[in-house]
Amino acid sequence: MSNIEIVQSFYKAWAAGDLDGSLAHCTEDIVWDNVPLKPFEGKERVRRFLEKFANGMSHARYDIKNHLESGDLLMIEAVERYNKDGHSVAVPYMALFTMRDGRIAEMRDYFDLATVERQLGLTD
């Protein structure tokens, strides 16, 4: 399976509400750096973050527009879309994945947190 196929499977499981299926694509020592936020280290810490993030979320979809793949690195340009607590969110982002042994070992998401907060009705 190519790196892009692994990441697509990760997102597909997450969007379907299958957190175990999504995390099966990650190493035990994964580091997930949501660049505007603090990084999460280890699969269990990532699980706790995703469980909290998923609360009130529905209709998740990840539209990958472009990707570049070289060795163990994958970069994507995408739009994350979901509904949460009555708000529709569509946020463009870039992500860099480092793979190890066919799993995601590190991911860094770059997005505008103010865009998410505005769409969730948290700011004006």
Side-chain angles (χ1 to χ4, degrees), residues 8 13-14 66 72 79 94 113:
Q8 287 170 324
W14 166 247
N66 292 295
D72 288 335
V79 178
M94 298 284 293
L113 184 57

Side-chain angles (χ1 to χ4, degrees), residues 46-104:
V46 169
R47 174 185 294 283
R48 287 192 304 271
F49 165 74
L50 289 175
E51 287 172 341
K52 184 177 178 180
F53 182 67
N55 189 25
M57 177 190 250
S58 65
H59 300 92
R61 192 172 89 222
Y62 295 84
D63 299 325
I64 298 173
K65 306 296 183 187
N66 292 295
H67 74 278
L68 296 169
E69 193 168 333
S70 178
D72 288 335
L73 295 177
L74 170 70
M75 183 185 301
I76 64 169
E77 173 192 23
V79 178
E80 178 181 34
R81 301 173 193 278
Y82 57 90
N83 295 333
K84 185 165 183 156
D85 300 327
H87 298 276
S88 293
V89 176
V91 61
Y93 70 100
M94 298 284 293
L96 178 66
F97 297 85
T98 303
M99 312 302 280
R100 184 179 346 115
D101 299 325
R103 288 189 161 67
I104 301 166

Side-chain angles (χ1 to χ4, degrees), residues 1 5-26 43 47 50 102-104:
M1 190 180 298
E5 290 170 328
I6 293 165
V7 168
Q8 287 170 324
S9 293
F10 169 86
Y11 284 134
K12 183 178 180 180
W14 166 247
D18 180 6
L19 184 54
D20 289 334
S22 185
L23 291 173
H25 295 289
C26 301
K43 192 183 278 191
R47 174 185 294 283
L50 289 175
R103 288 189 161 67
I104 301 166

